[in-house]
Amino acid sequence: MSKLPNVSTSIFTVMSKMASEHNAINLSQGFPNFPVDEKLTAIMARLSRENVHQYTPMAGYPPLLHQISKLVELSYDRILNPETEILVTAGATQGIFTTIMALVNSGDEVIILDPSYDCYEAPVLLSQATPVRIPLHDDYTPNWERIATACTSKTRMIIITNPHNPTGKIWNNEDIESLETILEKHPNIILLSDEVYEYITFEDKHISAHTRKKIRNRCVMISSFGKSFHITGWKIGYVVAPETLMIEIKKVHQFLVFSVNSISQVAISEYIDIVDLSEIKKQYQAKRDYFKELLISSRFDLLSCEGTYFQVASYAKISQENDVDFCKRLILEHGVAAIPISTFYADGRDLKLIRFCFAKDNNTLKEAALRLCKV
């Protein structure tokens, strides 16, 4: 008997497989196709010949833990204890899975805001808890009235994604204050804040839960070196949590992966000292603007993208077919792969919206746009 009877192959796998089979430009999965910083690859090449190939301590390579502590202090003016409040994980997804398995119990409820990334619900179900899926407003701002009403004595966790995947939305100060008000009324609720795109934001400033003293001591923060340094295949991220929560998270982590790839930890611990995080923001903002400019003459209407490397577009002027069928036809007839937004909703809500990934080199974006302008 399946523990996840309603879980099938992810839409990302489906669309990428179709893109490969039909030689389409893959703007569906969220990974860059341009080279990694040569300074990082040089560090990795040198380290490959050194004695860094054995297990690191369970929580992470100690110098990297200290570097993460310094990074959080520099970015958010928050002081962390690297020995008790930080955990290096095999990607953000493993950090999310481990956190939910450690802190959510049978009979609990976990609030998930739709459209939501597909890795949240499975560990909730495996914990024999109930996911409570609440749609955001159509402009992707939180529906605080519905969220507040959904919070009960059974609610163990609220999961937020900021900057938001798939929409690129960033929460404003009023949103964070509304969340704080709800958490103040429900002292037993834990906040899981997925902030893997924290360094990929544009005009509006990202407000991290790290900066909110009212809630950060009951919050588990999820971050991703894979996203920040466009090394998604390295599968390396980190979790920040107060010691009381981290103790439980580490208990699960040690039996799930124990320790994370050693050479990548050592390489990143060196790279943090020389990388300019502000350049990452500039790089992706330039790509967003370039892609948007290329699509001006298309029939797609582009939604605002405040962060991440995803551009949501409406095809309502082009077709009234459902978004899954439209994305499949986009591959078959026009050679471009995208992701249908309905797959991020529990109820399959179809707003005629699809998601493109613009973390690609300019030649790829240009060719994709040429094809999209013919749709």
Side-chain angles (χ1 to χ4, degrees), residues 188-204:
N188 294 324
I189 294 178
I190 296 167
L191 176 65
L192 176 57
S193 187
D194 179 353
E195 301 190 17
V196 298
Y197 297 100
E198 60 193 309
Y199 295 111
I200 307 176
T201 62
F202 309 127
E203 290 83 5
D204 296 322

Side-chain angles (χ1 to χ4, degrees), residues 60-174:
Y61 178 57
L64 179 57
L65 296 176
H66 284 272
Q67 289 285 51
I68 293 170
S69 177
K70 287 167 56 179
L71 179 62
V72 171
E73 182 178 5
L74 178 65
S75 300
Y76 304 115
D77 196 29
R78 181 183 183 185
I79 305 298
L80 294 172
N81 184 331
E83 296 181 0
T84 61
E85 296 179 309
I86 303 171
L87 174 67
V88 178
T89 58
T93 300
Q94 186 249 311
I96 291 166
F97 185 95
T98 302
T99 296
I100 294 172
M101 294 299 293
L103 302 178
V104 174
N105 300 304
S106 176
D108 287 343
E109 294 181 350
V110 175
I111 292 176
I112 301 172
L113 307 181
D114 283 351
S116 58
Y117 194 59
D118 65 354
C119 75
Y120 301 146
E121 185 172 81
V124 174
L125 295 172
L126 291 171
S127 299
Q128 297 184 316
T130 301
V132 179
R133 306 282 289 269
I134 300 177
L136 300 168
H137 290 301
D138 286 350
D139 65 354
Y140 300 123
T141 56
N143 187 330
W144 291 113
E145 184 176 351
R146 286 194 62 177
I147 296 169
T149 301
C151 290
T152 69
S153 59
K154 293 184 178 180
T155 307
R156 176 59 170 165
M157 181 179 286
I158 297 175
I159 302 176
I160 67 172
T161 316
N162 183 34
H164 189 253
N165 177 16
T167 70
K169 189 75 173 178
I170 293 179
W171 284 19
N172 60 32
N173 193 62
E174 289 73 23

Side-chain angles (χ1 to χ4, degrees), residues 1-9 122 125-126 128:
M1 182 175 179
S2 174
K3 290 186 176 181
L4 297 170
N6 298 317
V7 174
S8 58
T9 303
L125 295 172
L126 291 171
Q128 297 184 316

Side-chain angles (χ1 to χ4, degrees), residues 11-26 28 324-333 335-338:
I11 191 64
F12 306 102
T13 300
V14 171
M15 290 302 164
S16 288
K17 184 174 184 291
M18 283 190 68
S20 177
E21 290 173 346
H22 297 280
N23 198 29
I25 297 173
N26 190 355
S28 59
V324 175
D325 287 345
F326 181 81
C327 282
K328 290 179 179 179
R329 185 164 66 84
L330 199 61
I331 293 174
L332 296 174
E333 297 183 7
V336 178

Side-chain angles (χ1 to χ4, degrees), residues 60 130 145 209 243 257 298 314 323:
T130 301
E145 184 176 351
E243 183 177 5
V257 296
S298 78
S314 169
D323 59 0

Side-chain angles (χ1 to χ4, degrees), residues 16-305:
S16 288
K17 184 174 184 291
M18 283 190 68
S20 177
E21 290 173 346
H22 297 280
N23 198 29
I25 297 173
N26 190 355
L27 302 188
S28 59
Q29 278 196 289
F31 58 81
N33 74 337
F34 46 82
V36 174
D37 186 348
E38 290 183 356
K39 293 190 289 291
L40 180 55
T41 55
I43 291 171
M44 178 66 82
R46 172 176 52 80
L47 289 174
S48 69
R49 299 184 294 272
E50 298 182 9
N51 185 24
V52 293
H53 300 284
Q54 308 310 322
Y55 294 128
T56 62
M58 182 267 290
Y61 178 57
L64 179 57
L65 296 176
H66 284 272
Q67 289 285 51
I68 293 170
S69 177
K70 287 167 56 179
L71 179 62
V72 171
E73 182 178 5
L74 178 65
S75 300
Y76 304 115
D77 196 29
R78 181 183 183 185
I79 305 298
L80 294 172
N81 184 331
E83 296 181 0
T84 61
E85 296 179 309
I86 303 171
L87 174 67
V88 178
T89 58
T93 300
Q94 186 249 311
I96 291 166
F97 185 95
T98 302
T99 296
I100 294 172
M101 294 299 293
L103 302 178
V104 174
N105 300 304
S106 176
D108 287 343
E109 294 181 350
V110 175
I111 292 176
I112 301 172
L113 307 181
D114 283 351
S116 58
Y117 194 59
D118 65 354
C119 75
Y120 301 146
E121 185 172 81
V124 174
L125 295 172
L126 291 171
S127 299
Q128 297 184 316
T130 301
V132 179
R133 306 282 289 269
I134 300 177
L136 300 168
H137 290 301
D138 286 350
D139 65 354
Y140 300 123
T141 56
N143 187 330
W144 291 113
E145 184 176 351
R146 286 194 62 177
I147 296 169
T149 301
C151 290
T152 69
S153 59
K154 293 184 178 180
T155 307
R156 176 59 170 165
M157 181 179 286
I158 297 175
I159 302 176
I160 67 172
T161 316
N162 183 34
H164 189 253
N165 177 16
T167 70
K169 189 75 173 178
I170 293 179
W171 284 19
N172 60 32
N173 193 62
E174 289 73 23
D175 291 324
I176 303 295
E177 288 178 347
S178 296
L179 175 64
E180 289 174 333
T181 298
I182 289 174
L183 292 176
E184 285 177 343
K185 292 179 180 178
H186 299 275
N188 294 324
I189 294 178
I190 296 167
L191 176 65
L192 176 57
S193 187
D194 179 353
E195 301 190 17
V196 298
Y197 297 100
E198 60 193 309
Y199 295 111
I200 307 176
T201 62
F202 309 127
E203 290 83 5
D204 296 322
K205 183 176 176 59
H206 166 56
I207 303 173
S208 171
H210 278 302
T211 67
R212 312 300 288 206
K213 294 182 180 179
K214 288 184 179 180
I215 60 176
R216 67 190 187 190
N217 286 329
R218 52 195 291 198
C219 174
V220 180
M221 300 285 304
I222 306 294
S223 292
S224 170
F225 288 123
K227 296 295 191 297
S228 297
F229 299 152
H230 35 268
I231 48 172
T232 59
W234 289 28
K235 293 298 294 181
I236 181 166
Y238 57 96
V239 173
V240 171
E243 183 177 5
T244 53
L245 298 180
M246 186 60 81
I247 287 172
E248 299 305 313
I249 294 169
K250 286 179 177 179
K251 288 177 184 179
V252 175
H253 175 82
Q254 70 177 339
F255 294 113
L256 189 60
V257 296
F258 183 73
S259 64
V260 174
N261 181 290
S262 61
I263 190 170
S264 63
Q265 292 194 65
V266 179
I268 290 172
S269 71
E270 292 188 23
Y271 184 61
I272 289 176
D273 276 335
I274 60 177
V275 67
D276 184 351
L277 289 168
S278 67
E279 290 299 316
I280 297 169
K281 169 181 176 177
K282 294 176 184 176
Q283 177 184 22
Y284 282 114
Q285 184 166 345
K287 289 188 175 297
R288 179 203 64 174
D289 295 345
Y290 180 65
F291 189 52
K292 183 177 181 180
E293 182 71 21
L294 290 170
L295 291 176
I296 283 179
S297 61
S298 78
R299 292 192 290 165
F300 291 96
D301 288 326
L302 304 187
L303 278 63
S304 174
C305 172

